């Protein structure tokens, strides 16, 4: 055992005894995974089969939804169509049993054990906002004050 170096995961850095990949090889390897999203339900654990069923009810994909358990309460939802991925990413926010579902685009070097969610999309409601403020410019200013504005409904 002393003659074999220990390999540690190190987000994209060269590791002794690793096999370097050319840009073409990376492209070939990543292409089947291009329409994936990484998901995590906050403050709730859920069995794989139940989560898959709830996601199908929420997203109503026009294709088979493949769900992969990554561990550390992260899952990958794999789509074959770009529009299904876009819907999952942008038509939320999504909730399952009143628990927020974080949805982010897949990244090749994602390591669940080391993952920290630094940002997430949030839905802001403005109850009892006077109707005179239902103006795109005003709502846009309010949204931008809170962070990166994605959409106004």
């Amino acid at each position: 055992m002393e003659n074999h170096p220990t390999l540690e995961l190190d987000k994209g850095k060269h590791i002794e005894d690793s096999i370097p990949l050319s840009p073409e090889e990376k492209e070939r390897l990543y292409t089947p995974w291009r329409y994936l999203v990484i998901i995590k339900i906050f403050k709730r654990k859920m069995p794989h089969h139940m989560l898959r069923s709830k996601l199908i009810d929420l997203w109503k994909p026009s294709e088979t939804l493949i769900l992969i358990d990554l561990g550390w309460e992260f899952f990958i939802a794999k789509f074959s169509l770009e529009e299904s991925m876009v819907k999952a990413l942008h038509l939320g926010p999504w909730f399952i049993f009143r628990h927020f579902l974080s949805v982010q685009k897949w990244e090749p070097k994602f390591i669940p054990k080391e993952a920290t969610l630094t940002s997430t999309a949030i839905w802001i409601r403005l109850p009892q906002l006077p109707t005179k403020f239902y103006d795109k410019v005003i709502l846009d200013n309010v949204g931008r004050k809170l962070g990166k504005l994605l959409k106004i409904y």
Side-chain angles (χ1 to χ4, degrees), residues 100-137:
F100 179 70
L101 179 68
S102 169
V103 183
Q104 66 186 57
K105 190 159 178 32
W106 174 75
E107 55 187 70
K109 297 174 185 168
F110 180 78
I111 301 170
K113 183 178 179 179
E114 297 175 8
T116 56
L117 300 175
T118 57
S119 65
T120 190
I122 59 171
W123 187 286
I124 301 293
R125 298 174 107 191
L126 303 170
Q128 300 182 24
L129 181 70
T131 55
K132 64 185 173 191
F133 295 121
Y134 278 81
D135 173 84
K136 183 168 178 4
V137 174

Side-chain angles (χ1 to χ4, degrees), residues 5-150:
T6 302
L7 298 179
E8 295 181 21
L9 291 176
D10 195 0
K11 290 194 176 188
K13 292 184 181 174
H14 180 74
I15 301 171
E16 191 175 333
D17 291 344
S18 66
I19 301 170
L21 298 174
S22 70
E24 294 80 20
E25 289 171 316
K26 287 180 182 178
E27 178 68 25
R28 183 179 54 80
L29 289 172
Y30 297 163
T31 296
W33 302 93
R34 68 183 175 264
Y35 302 136
L36 270 69
V37 293
I38 299 169
I39 60 174
K40 181 178 178 100
I41 302 174
F42 281 88
K43 298 185 178 181
R44 172 143 186 157
K45 292 183 180 184
M46 188 172 296
H48 181 278
H49 70 282
M50 184 183 294
L51 177 58
R52 184 176 179 278
S53 174
K54 292 294 178 186
L55 291 174
I56 289 170
D57 289 345
L58 275 177
W59 295 338
K60 298 178 181 26
S62 57
E63 74 225 70
T64 301
L65 175 67
I66 297 170
L67 188 65
I68 301 167
D69 188 344
L70 296 177
W72 299 88
E73 299 175 30
F74 284 95
F75 292 83
I76 283 181
K78 184 177 182 184
F79 301 104
S80 56
L81 301 172
E82 183 178 17
E83 58 261 22
S84 297
M85 176 195 69
V86 169
K87 180 179 179 180
L89 284 171
H90 299 292
L91 292 185
W94 306 108
F95 294 88
I96 296 179
F97 296 123
R98 301 183 66 143
H99 292 271
F100 179 70
L101 179 68
S102 169
V103 183
Q104 66 186 57
K105 190 159 178 32
W106 174 75
E107 55 187 70
K109 297 174 185 168
F110 180 78
I111 301 170
K113 183 178 179 179
E114 297 175 8
T116 56
L117 300 175
T118 57
S119 65
T120 190
I122 59 171
W123 187 286
I124 301 293
R125 298 174 107 191
L126 303 170
Q128 300 182 24
L129 181 70
T131 55
K132 64 185 173 191
F133 295 121
Y134 278 81
D135 173 84
K136 183 168 178 4
V137 174
I138 298 297
L139 293 174
D140 194 60
N141 287 337
V142 170
R144 293 192 190 289
K145 191 74 168 171
L146 298 170
K148 181 182 175 187
L149 180 63
L150 300 177

